[in-house]
């Protein structure tokens, strides 16, 4: 019997036991496990043109004449957290959060991107937010960069300009100096694959450069170096006095082969290497650098295509060393699973050259999986479990925080599908901890409804609903907020808990969807 078949049988037996347990039992979280909720600056702050803030690439993109945003909306006002941050802290307190993951807007702090001009009003805003949180015993979990690059830096190439590694270091220095006395959890960069592939390799996210196979790889190298610069700056200048931790948050979508065919297994491994190995391998493995196969694939294709060098820039020995080990923890943003395979149908499927052509896999959805309001997001908790096991295996069991996980709906307060999703993913997370994974915290995306990039306000991820049509942007807890609050309070997962406020509204006879199963 092939080893993979043993593994399959093992998972089947192991997990069928768990499945029964997860259905009926109340399961506890480990001592010290932290619960949080997440947002990002451009998505909730608003105040886009207030008090000296500079323009970001999202201010520019969302105001293009032909809007690339589904509903033609912008983040100009959004949930207006810039003015209503005290209401946000009330929500954090009400939920009983241990931490709140928010991001700092680079152009609100440095309007031109450079550290010669610091915007005092920007510093004041984040000081107020952080102090208000600390006064309510909420830990700030601060992301330095969540996609809103100063437009001034984009003019000179943004993340494809190698100098950005230094500019980011200067920005990080301003943040440590101003907030590091109170911030003990830093995330340098959120979602490099979205920044680089989404922003530079495609037209999915600002700046929508759409230069795939070239700009996305230049960006990847610079993001890694910028991250490492911030990490070493903290280590050398600030850690001794500020005593915090600093990591990075990566997208860990799970890719599952469509069959047991070795080609499909290889396709799944390749897809994982392109999505997260590209960033995790250089930081979290002993040998460092981009993964060997990833380098080989792109170099090979580049040569076939008559490029004089690989389209993936090399990391020098010094750069490999600087990046390797440059994180105290791994932040994981993970929402879903995709199926992949590889066969002859791939010929001519993707532009040449391109990131997708280099990866060389066909990505499909399984229509049996529950579908959210967002095209890319389906509920697949067993994929979350497998992803956590793989991270443990590949990266030597790093300290992990789940920095984003959540579900979108079209709106409404009675969000049973979000509740099912959160419970199933948290249960899978507990299974991963039982299996030895070092996961010490979990954060829901998102605390309140937000501007969801190209989806605008069409996709609602919030535990709290925001009324975007009302000037006061009133926030109302969804049913999932009451469920999450109870999970945090009891530090346990009770599949039968019903909040009192909602007891009467729950449809009695609604057919209960089965708990998740690990294998299709
Ligand atoms: C936080 O609490 C301290 C002491 O109680 C107080 O001096 C400070 O003004 C408070 N800060 C905010 C932002 O409310
Ligand atoms: C981006 O490039 C692809 C080909 O790689 C093309 O199909 C698409 O139309 C481009 N998008 C824009 C906005 O130009
Ligand atoms: C630094 O933080 C750790 C926990 O994160 C704590 O155990 C230690 O005592 C702190 N050290 C100083 C000097 O504050
Ligand atoms: C993560 O990556 C997947 C696969 O490329 C993509 O579909 C998804 O949109 C990304 N998720 C986020 C939150 O950016």
């Amino acid at each position: 019997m092939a080893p993979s078949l043993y593994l399959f049988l093992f998972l089947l037996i192991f997990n069928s036991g768990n499945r029964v347990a997860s259905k009926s039992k109340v399961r506890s979280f480990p001592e010290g496990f932290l619960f949080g909720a997440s947002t990002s600056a451009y998505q909730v702050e608003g105040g886009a043109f207030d008090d000296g803030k500079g323009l970001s690439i999202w201010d520019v993109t969302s105001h293009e004449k032909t809007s690339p945003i589904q509903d033609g909306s912008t983040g100009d006002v959004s949930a207006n957290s810039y003015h209503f941050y005290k209401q946000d802290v009330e929500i954090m307190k009400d939920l009983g959060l241990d931490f709140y993951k928010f991001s700092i807007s680079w152009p609100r702090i440095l309007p031109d991107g450079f550290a010669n001009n610091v915007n005092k009003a920007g510093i004041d805003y984040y000081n107020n937010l952080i102090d208000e949180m600390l006064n309510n015993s909420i830990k700030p979990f601060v992301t330095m960069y969540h996609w809103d690059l100063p437009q001034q830096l984009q003019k000179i190439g943004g993340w494809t300009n190698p100098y950005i590694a230094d500019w980011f270091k200067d920005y990080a220095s301003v943040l440590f100096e101003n907030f590091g006395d109170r911030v003990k959890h830093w995330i340098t960069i959120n979602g490099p694959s979205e920044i680089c592939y989404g922003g530079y390799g495609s037209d999915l996210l600002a700046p929508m450069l759409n230069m795939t196979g070239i700009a996305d790889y230049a960006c990847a190298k610079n993001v890694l170096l910028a991250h490492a610069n911030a990490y070493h700056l903290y280590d050398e200048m600030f850690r001794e006095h500020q005593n915090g931790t600093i990591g990075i948050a990566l997208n860990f979508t799970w890719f599952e082969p469509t069959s047991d065919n070795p080609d499909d297994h290889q396709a799944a491994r390749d897809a994982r290497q392109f999505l997260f190995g590209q960033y995790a391998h250089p930081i979290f493995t002993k040998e460092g650098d981009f993964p060997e196969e990833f380098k080989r694939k792109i170099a090979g294709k580049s040569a076939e295509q008559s490029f004089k060098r690989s389209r993936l820039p090399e990391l020098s020995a010094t750069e490999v060393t600087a990046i390797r080990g440059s994180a105290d923890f791994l932040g994981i943003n993970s929402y879903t699973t995709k199926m992949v395979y590889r066969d002859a149908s791939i010929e001519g499927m993707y532009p040449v050259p391109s990131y997708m052509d280099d990866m060389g896999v066909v990505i499909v959805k399984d229509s049996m999986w529950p579908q959210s309001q967002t095209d890319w997001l389906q509920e697949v908790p067993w994929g979350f479990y497998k992803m956590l096991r793989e991270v443990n295996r590949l990266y030597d069991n790093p300290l992990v925080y789940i920095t984003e996980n959540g579900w979108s709906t079209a709106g409404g307060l009675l969000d049973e599908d979000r509740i099912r999703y959160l419970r199933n993913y948290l249960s899978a997370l507990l299974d991963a901890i039982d299996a030895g994974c070092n996961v010490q915290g979990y954060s829901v995306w998102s605390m309140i409804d937000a501007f969801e990039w190209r989806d605008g306000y069409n996709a609602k991820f919030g535990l709290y609903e925001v009324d975007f049509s009302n000037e006061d942007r009133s926030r109302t807890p969804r049913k999932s907020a009451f469920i999450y609050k109870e999970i945090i309070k009891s530090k346990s997962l009770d599949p039968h808990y019903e909040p009192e406020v909602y007891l009467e509204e729950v449809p009695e006879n609604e057919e209960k969807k089965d708990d998740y199963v690990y294998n299709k």
Side-chain angles (χ1 to χ4, degrees):
M1 202 157 53
S4 63
L5 198 52
Y6 276 117
L7 182 67
F8 177 79
L9 284 177
F10 170 75
L11 285 173
L12 207 65
I13 294 160
F14 175 77
N15 291 312
S16 55
N18 263 354
R19 210 186 132 198
V20 176
S22 71
K23 261 187 123 103
S24 51
K25 270 213 322 236
V26 177
R27 308 181 68 189
S28 294
F29 288 87
E31 196 65 34
F33 191 87
L34 300 176
F35 290 98
S38 305
T39 63
S40 87
Y42 186 73
Q43 293 179 271
V44 298
E45 271 179 14
F49 313 106
D50 291 4
D51 304 337
K53 175 181 162 293
L55 292 183
S56 80
I57 54 177
W58 275 96
D59 294 316
V60 173
T61 293
S62 65
H63 280 274
E64 267 163 21
K65 274 207 196 74
T66 314
S67 175
I69 314 298
Q70 246 185 49
D71 56 2
S73 64
T74 72
D76 289 2
V77 182
S78 187
N80 211 352
S81 292
Y82 184 64
H83 294 106
F84 298 152
Y85 70 89
K86 287 192 179 173
Q87 294 183 28
D88 291 345
V89 178
E90 280 299 314
I91 290 173
M92 297 170 210
K93 209 165 77 174
D94 188 53
L95 286 169
L97 298 185
D98 296 307
F99 69 90
Y100 175 53
K101 179 197 178 227
F102 66 96
S103 79
I104 292 183
S105 162
W106 188 341
R108 195 182 292 289
I109 298 289
L110 307 178
D112 320 303
F114 300 102
N116 63 319
N117 175 20
V118 180
N119 179 29
K120 167 97 173 33
I123 301 284
D124 290 346
Y125 170 64
Y126 295 108
N127 270 333
N128 291 339
L129 172 60
I130 290 167
D131 289 344
E132 186 77 12
M133 287 172 60
L134 291 175
N135 272 10
N136 290 288
S137 307
I138 318 285
K139 292 181 188 30
F141 219 102
V142 180
T143 307
M144 300 178 182
Y145 183 75
H146 198 131
W147 310 0
D148 47 353
L149 189 74
Q151 175 64 12
Q152 287 296 93
L153 299 187
Q154 189 53 48
K155 284 185 187 163
I156 41 177
W159 286 104
T160 63
N161 186 328
Y163 292 122
I164 199 166
D166 292 332
W167 303 330
F168 185 75
K169 180 180 177 178
D170 299 342
Y171 166 55
S173 167
V174 173
L175 301 188
F176 297 145
E177 280 161 19
N178 282 280
F179 310 121
D181 56 334
R182 287 150 295 151
V183 173
K184 301 304 160 196
H185 294 89
W186 292 103
I187 293 168
T188 54
I189 292 170
N190 183 83
S193 69
E194 286 64 57
I195 296 164
C196 294
Y197 178 67
Y200 293 84
S202 72
D203 55 6
L204 295 170
L205 296 166
M208 302 184 174
L209 203 71
N210 210 20
M211 256 187 93
T212 184
I214 309 254
D216 30 21
Y217 299 134
C219 169
K221 172 172 175 169
N222 297 333
V223 160
L224 285 165
L225 289 171
H227 157 80
N229 271 351
Y231 177 86
H232 292 296
L233 174 70
Y234 192 72
D235 235 20
E236 285 153 25
M237 305 287 291
F238 296 93
R239 193 191 288 278
E240 191 188 343
H241 300 293
Q242 299 187 344
N243 195 30
T245 60
I246 176 165
I248 191 168
L250 309 178
N251 176 338
F252 279 81
T253 297
W254 180 249
F255 291 103
E256 180 76 6
T258 51
S259 81
D260 262 339
N261 181 324
D263 285 347
D264 295 338
H265 274 271
Q266 188 56 47
R269 278 194 295 274
D270 290 343
R272 291 177 219 140
Q273 268 191 2
F274 272 72
L275 180 71
F276 59 77
Q278 181 177 181
Y279 302 98
H281 193 279
I283 302 174
F284 292 96
T285 61
K286 286 196 183 66
E287 60 274 25
D289 202 353
F290 292 120
E292 274 308 317
E293 257 184 277
F294 172 75
K295 284 197 293 186
R296 206 166 44 236
K297 268 176 104 82
I298 301 168
K301 291 256 186 185
S302 301
E304 278 170 31
Q305 295 154 359
S306 307
F307 286 89
K308 297 274 189 213
R309 66 187 73 230
S310 177
R311 288 178 278 99
L312 176 70
E314 274 182 23
L315 295 171
S316 70
T318 318
E319 290 167 340
V320 167
T321 307
I323 295 166
R324 190 175 55 204
S326 63
D328 302 323
F329 63 85
L330 169 60
I332 289 184
N333 298 339
S334 188
Y335 292 81
T336 197
T337 290
K338 300 246 168 71
M339 305 293 288
V340 298
Y341 64 89
R342 176 179 287 142
D343 64 16
S345 73
I346 196 135
E347 280 301 313
M349 185 172 279
Y350 301 116
V352 178
S354 69
Y355 168 86
M356 291 304 296
D357 180 64
D358 292 338
M359 190 193 311
V361 312
V362 186
I363 301 179
V364 288
K365 300 208 297 194
D366 186 328
S367 59
M368 298 299 286
W369 298 336
Q371 176 68 48
S372 72
Q373 171 72 6
T374 309
D375 182 58
W376 52 262
L377 173 51
Q378 292 177 289
E379 179 188 330
V380 197
W382 57 259
F384 188 62
Y385 173 83
K386 284 190 171 185
M387 176 278 294
L388 287 170
R389 295 294 305 269
E390 183 78 346
V391 164
N392 179 331
R393 190 178 73 79
L394 290 175
Y395 309 122
D396 197 19
N397 203 14
L399 164 56
V400 164
Y401 295 109
I402 305 301
T403 38
E404 286 182 22
N405 173 249
W407 184 255
S408 66
T409 67
L413 296 177
L414 199 57
D415 50 352
E416 296 293 348
D417 48 353
R418 177 175 291 107
I419 292 164
R420 189 192 64 220
Y421 176 96
L422 293 177
R423 280 177 168 159
N424 286 341
Y425 271 66
L426 282 168
S427 189
L429 186 152
L430 285 172
D431 291 343
I433 291 176
D434 287 347
C437 299
N438 186 15
V439 186
Q440 296 192 8
Y442 171 89
S443 191
V444 176
W445 182 273
S446 50
M447 188 172 78
I448 57 177
D449 285 341
F451 174 82
E452 288 294 337
W453 312 113
R454 289 197 69 157
D455 292 339
Y457 299 99
N458 284 344
K460 313 288 190 186
F461 276 88
L463 295 171
Y464 276 65
E465 178 178 78
V466 175
D467 184 354
F468 292 103
S469 65
N470 187 329
E471 209 163 308
D472 66 14
R473 296 299 196 266
S474 48
R475 289 118 157 92
T476 312
R478 296 203 164 98
K479 184 175 176 185
S480 58
F482 293 91
I483 300 282
Y484 193 49
K485 180 176 171 168
E486 177 65 19
I487 290 171
I488 298 173
K489 191 170 141 224
S490 65
K491 305 233 173 291
S492 67
L493 199 55
D494 175 355
H496 304 298
Y497 171 75
E498 281 291 337
E500 263 170 43
V501 267
Y502 276 99
L503 269 178
E504 304 194 343
E505 295 172 53
V506 179
E508 274 293 312
N509 301 322
E510 193 190 287
E511 195 193 333
K512 278 248 154 69
K513 288 253 170 66
D514 210 0
D515 274 12
Y516 62 92
V517 284
Y518 280 101
N519 284 286
K520 306 150 275 154

